[in-house]
Amino acid sequence: MSGSAAVGPRPQTVALLRGGPRAAVKVALVALHLRGAVTPGPAGTIRTSNPAPGTSFGSAPALEKAVRGSLYLPTGLRELMDRPRVRRALAELRGEAAAAGLLRRLPPRRTRAARRVLRELRAATPLPAGPEGLSPADVLLAVALYGDTALTALVPRFTEAAGLKGRGGRGEAGLTRGGDVGGGGFTGCAGGWQA
């Protein structure tokens, strides 16, 4: 898998195309976790932590910066998706994907080019059995391509403790919120995108 993560769209874009905004935010959280910038909080939440000295976020994608900046309290994935800064970063990511010809604006659906990119990336990047021998970029690409299956195989403790698997996640007060916050108006589905 080595080197495969350097070809094609960034992992957050791949995740957006495969699974929608929630998938893109999960990839951003894993990227931050791999840098030591976030850790599981209480009751299925995520919180910031102190990254290793010398860790820089200057070249990090906008969505990673927005996610990190929105974790001013331990926060569940659902609440994080609803934070204005995260919603703006997701809108920017969708705009970049649309400008690259990978996403139609209205209704927001993957294009033929996006389906081809995902198919080619999956063919070149099989699902790894575990994190051994993978670079952080390879882990992010696998999570972007394979979602919860890769989360469970590659970062199982973080996935479980942070409530990242499935639609889970808890609120700031430890209470599950009703309804789905799609983070910008669309969610991924098996047949494409829906408004």
Side-chain angles (χ1 to χ4, degrees):
M1 185 184 248
S2 185
S4 61
V7 179
R10 289 181 124 163
Q12 292 169 1
T13 303
V14 171
L16 178 74
L17 296 173
R18 180 200 49 82
R22 184 177 297 275
V25 170
K26 286 180 181 183
V27 169
L29 284 166
V30 171
L32 291 167
H33 171 69
L34 293 175
R35 287 187 181 151
V38 299
T39 190
T45 61
I46 305 111
R47 64 179 178 86
T48 59
S49 62
N50 294 322
T55 302
S56 171
F57 295 96
S59 63
L63 184 56
E64 281 180 40
K65 292 177 186 176
V67 165
R68 187 166 190 266
S70 295
L71 290 171
Y72 41 84
L73 291 172
T75 303
L77 183 58
R78 290 181 184 191
E79 278 70 27
L80 186 59
M81 295 290 301
D82 202 27
R83 298 278 164 88
R85 196 167 168 188
V86 172
R87 291 173 63 97
R88 283 191 300 273
L90 285 166
E92 181 181 315
L93 187 62
R94 283 192 304 273
E96 291 169 4
L102 299 172
L103 189 65
R104 290 187 194 110
R105 291 192 189 270
L106 293 172
R109 294 187 183 273
R110 288 181 290 231
T111 64
R112 188 174 293 151
R115 290 189 296 273
R116 184 183 71 247
V117 165
L118 290 173
R119 190 172 47 250
E120 290 172 357
L121 283 171
R122 282 189 188 114
T125 312
L127 177 65
E132 298 78 21
L134 298 179
S135 70
D138 290 338
V139 170
L140 293 178
L141 182 59
V143 171
L145 286 171
Y146 299 105
D148 287 352
T149 304
L151 281 169
T152 301
L154 303 177
V155 284
R157 285 182 280 198
F158 177 68
T159 297
E160 184 68 30
L164 296 186
K165 204 166 163 196
R167 310 296 288 179
R170 293 205 153 292
E172 291 164 356
L175 301 173
T176 304
R177 276 186 53 181
D180 181 41
V181 179
F186 70 95
T187 58
C189 63
W193 298 103
Q194 64 184 13

